[in-house]
Amino acid sequence: MLARTALRASTLRSISRQTTKRAASSSSNASKEQSPRMLNIAGTAATVAAVGSVSLYYQQYGFGNTVYAGTPAEEGLHAPHFPWVHNEWLKTFDHAALRRGFQVYREVCASCHSLSRVPWRALVGVTHTVDEVKAMAEEHEYDDEPNDVGDIEKRAGKLSDPIPSPYANDNAARAANQGALPPDLSLIVKGRHGGCDYIFALLTGYPDEPPAGTKLPEGLNFNPYFPGTGIAMARVLYDGVVEYEDGTPATTSQMAKDVVEFLNWAAEPEHDQRKKMGMKVLAVTSVLLALSIWVKRYKWAPLKTRKIVYTPPKH
Amino acid sequence: MAATTLRNTIPRALRSASAPLHHPSVTAAATQVRYNTQSATDARSPFAQAGSHRTTKIPDFSKYRGGSTSGNKVFQYFMVGTMGALTAAGSKALVQDFLVNMSASADVLAMAKIEVDLSAIPEGKNIILKWRGKPVFIRHRTAAEIEEANAVKIESLRDPQTDADRVKKPEWLVMLGICTHLGCVPIGEAGDFGGWFCPCHGSHYDISGRIRRGPAPLNLEIPEYEFPEEGRLVIG
Amino acid sequence: MTITNSIYNVLFRRNYVFVGAVFASAFAFEMGFDTISDKVWDNLNKGRQWKDIRHRYVEEE
């Protein structure tokens, strides 16, 4: 409080000193100049107050330390950071990996998890050709529009249809999974803390045996990365559970990596375009910034080098 | 601002005999020195001798002036112009992106086209499809029907159109199934002209979908369509 | 000297010419910039994009 008052007083005084120096008329109140010692004291006091309050805050709360209410087991183990290439600034998704990841989703995940926000057409030109996607869509049946007598018939899927869900609705999904709802995977990478890292760690983090002493309710599996450690989903990715058409060895981690990258694409289909646009925008705006700095200096140079001088007339 | 107020005070200061010694009079240095002499014609200019005992040293700016004047000018215009060009390109891209954003989205466009397998439609049969919420009539016309459609005198029609104007391939007639009168859906293979008949107000259309009798003012509308390959039709 | 003078006289002396040149070069810049940044982008992401793997799945042509 004291320091702040002192600071305010000194700033006011220094401003007034500056103005009196600058002003052409010299008969103003510049006579009572503050001694530099007082200013030094005020500045020191202000610094001490600032440093003191910051260190008090640091002592009490710390910087960037998250405080967890639960134990690590309750919160789930924090996923390690994996070097995802597609998370680099100027890298697109690896579309071969997206294609493999879609295969993993289709053959493994899709038996329980829906991907309801991704239509078949979104895969065209990303992982598959038009003909491939059409063939895949036609394997599924969708409700047609009401026919002449108002009945709803089934028709083969089209490109504009969404990827079908394994269950008719959430209740059916719960009933089939002992009350646990398999979440929709369309936005799961955005929707989970840790994103790609978390899902990869979860998929590959099932231990062979739960640690001694863990008690889990019936039907739950132990996974240290899952908050609460008891997860209804069992380990699904085992080496060789799918067979990749491009000959990539289908190890657990390879499949997990591919499907996570695919799910990242599902959550951010604009990813590649966005990064390319970002690159272009940054390139242009950085040049523009340099140019505008030059133009500012150019426009201000005559104003800043101008000098107005008072020469007292001699009578 | 400050300069003008100071300049305005000069004549006043001169006129008042008791002008204090520290009243402002101004020399602008480093830019061209300019005196407001007109308003002070009645008085001796205080600046008359100002030059002789000037205490101000104008710094030497020649170092910053660089090379040739014309070269400087070209460079300066180039810099300003480049900034303008980059800004124009950037704002064009920005505006364009916003406008593109307003156009139909991918899911709408995906629904906007339908594909038809024509091999499933036998000659002389109609099918009705839903396209953008509207019925579309597709008729596989027989040779006799094509002949009949071409035989009509165009001058006698209410909405004169040749059959060739209404089809891309004569055997395939593709039209929107909405009566141009009040929007009912006409019935196929009915009416006095062997085409379509609207049950609401009794409009008769011929085998080319042209209005022949009844209140409807226009022929049945033709949507955008194309045959990408033999036996396939894409509407939209 | 003469070159700079002539550039000045041709391009910058009349404002409408200057502004016109600015907009024309904006379009030229945009085209060139798009081409170059496409190339840079494809180079940075060699083998990662769909167009790089498309040929494996398209049989015809």
Side-chain angles (χ1 to χ4, degrees), chain C:
Chain C
M1 193 59 151
T2 47
I3 297 168
T4 54
N5 264 332
S6 54
I7 290 174
Y8 176 79
N9 284 332
V10 169
L11 267 185
F12 300 144
R13 168 146 284 190
R14 287 167 295 269
N15 188 51
Y16 67 91
V17 178
F18 181 50
V19 173
V22 163
F23 279 103
S25 55
F27 273 93
F29 166 77
E30 205 184 2
M31 284 190 286
F33 182 69
D34 283 350
T35 318
I36 289 169
S37 51
D38 281 357
K39 282 219 176 92
V40 169
W41 184 253
D42 292 346
N43 199 36
L44 284 172
N45 293 292
K46 214 176 275 175
R48 296 178 66 81
Q49 300 185 80
W50 168 246
K51 58 185 160 199
D52 302 326
I53 60 167
R54 181 177 178 272
H55 61 88
R56 294 187 212 161
Y57 309 108
V58 182
E59 301 93 30
E60 67 269 274
E61 283 145 18

Side-chain angles (χ1 to χ4, degrees), chain A residues 308-311, chain B residues 3 6-8 10-11 14 25-41 43-56 58:
Chain A
I308 298 173
V309 178
Y310 164 66
T311 312
Chain B
L6 284 175
R7 205 184 290 154
N8 290 341
I10 293 164
L14 292 170
S25 50
V26 168
T27 305
T31 52
Q32 203 182 353
V33 181
R34 212 181 270 153
Y35 299 136
N36 189 351
T37 48
Q38 280 183 330
S39 56
T41 41
R44 193 169 47 91
S45 168
F47 308 117
Q49 319 100 318
S52 59
H53 50 79
R54 180 175 286 160
T55 53
T56 312
I58 300 173

Side-chain angles (χ1 to χ4, degrees), chain A:
Chain A
M1 197 63 197
L2 181 79
R4 213 192 294 159
T5 328
L7 185 70
R8 195 186 298 147
S10 70
T11 10
L12 280 176
R13 235 167 267 136
S14 63
I15 288 169
S16 69
R17 254 152 39 88
Q18 279 180 355
T19 44
T20 44
K21 256 188 214 160
R22 209 180 286 159
S25 62
S26 57
S27 72
S28 61
N29 51 358
S31 53
K32 284 169 276 174
E33 291 236 326
Q34 201 68 40
S35 72
R37 202 153 63 98
M38 284 302 286
L39 285 174
N40 285 345
I41 290 170
T44 314
T47 312
V48 167
V51 171
S53 51
V54 167
S55 55
L56 188 71
Y57 181 90
Y58 178 74
Q59 201 190 358
Q60 291 216 315
Y61 306 108
F63 293 132
N65 291 348
T66 317
V67 180
Y68 293 100
T71 61
E74 284 163 348
E75 296 289 341
L77 203 58
H78 201 81
H81 181 70
F82 298 108
W84 299 100
V85 178
H86 71 262
N87 276 350
E88 287 170 28
W89 273 41
L90 297 175
K91 290 288 185 185
T92 63
F93 288 124
D94 182 359
H95 285 240
L98 294 185
R99 190 180 167 99
R100 293 194 298 267
F102 177 69
Q103 190 186 347
V104 174
Y105 166 77
R106 198 152 172 254
E107 294 180 13
V108 181
C109 317
S111 55
C112 296
H113 289 278
S114 56
L115 197 65
S116 60
R117 281 158 201 276
V118 180
W120 290 110
R121 63 181 160 76
L123 298 170
V124 175
V126 175
T127 59
H128 293 76
T129 63
V130 187
D131 298 335
E132 286 171 327
V133 181
K134 268 184 186 164
M136 282 192 286
E138 279 166 10
E139 289 172 18
H140 299 272
E141 281 191 334
Y142 291 84
D143 285 347
D144 206 349
E145 289 195 24
N147 64 8
D148 295 342
V149 291
D151 292 336
I152 291 178
E153 291 170 5
K154 292 284 183 185
R155 61 165 170 79
K158 292 190 289 193
L159 285 181
S160 55
D161 290 316
I163 289 175
S165 304
Y167 302 108
N169 49 53
D170 284 3
N171 288 357
R174 280 207 178 84
N177 291 285
Q178 296 150 0
L181 174 70
D184 184 83
L185 296 183
S186 313
L187 293 165
I188 202 78
V189 170
K190 278 178 174 170
R192 288 292 179 273
H193 193 76
C196 290
D197 292 337
Y198 167 72
I199 296 167
F200 183 85
L202 189 82
L203 288 174
T204 55
Y206 287 93
D208 291 337
E209 296 223 335
T214 46
K215 279 185 199 141
L216 289 171
E218 191 62 30
L220 292 190
N221 303 281
F222 180 84
N223 191 317
Y225 296 100
F226 189 74
T229 67
I231 182 167
M233 181 173 94
R235 180 178 169 181
V236 286
L237 294 180
Y238 293 94
D239 289 357
V241 76
V242 302
E243 195 176 330
Y244 285 139
E245 58 188 355
D246 60 359
T248 310
T251 60
T252 302
S253 59
Q254 177 70 43
M255 287 184 290
K257 180 242 162 206
D258 289 341
V259 81
V260 166
E261 190 158 347
F262 171 73
L263 291 177
N264 199 162
W265 169 80
E268 296 180 273
E270 82 293 349
H271 171 278
D272 294 358
Q273 197 60 35
R274 165 162 59 84
K275 281 186 174 169
K276 188 178 183 182
M277 179 66 86
M279 178 187 78
K280 288 161 80 170
V281 166
L282 286 183
V284 171
T285 46
S286 53
V287 175
L288 261 184
L289 177 71
L291 277 173
S292 59
I293 289 172
W294 185 91
V295 170
K296 182 261 165 189
R297 288 167 63 89
Y298 169 66
K299 292 286 183 192
W300 277 84
L303 295 174
K304 288 218 170 182
T305 53
R306 190 169 67 172
K307 194 173 183 183
I308 298 173
V309 178
Y310 164 66
T311 312
K314 294 204 169 172
H315 284 295

Side-chain angles (χ1 to χ4, degrees), chain B residues 145-153 162-164 210:
Chain B
E145 286 169 344
I146 298 169
E147 212 168 296
E148 183 191 332
N150 281 322
V152 176
K153 270 194 199 144
T162 61
D163 186 58
R210 293 174 289 203

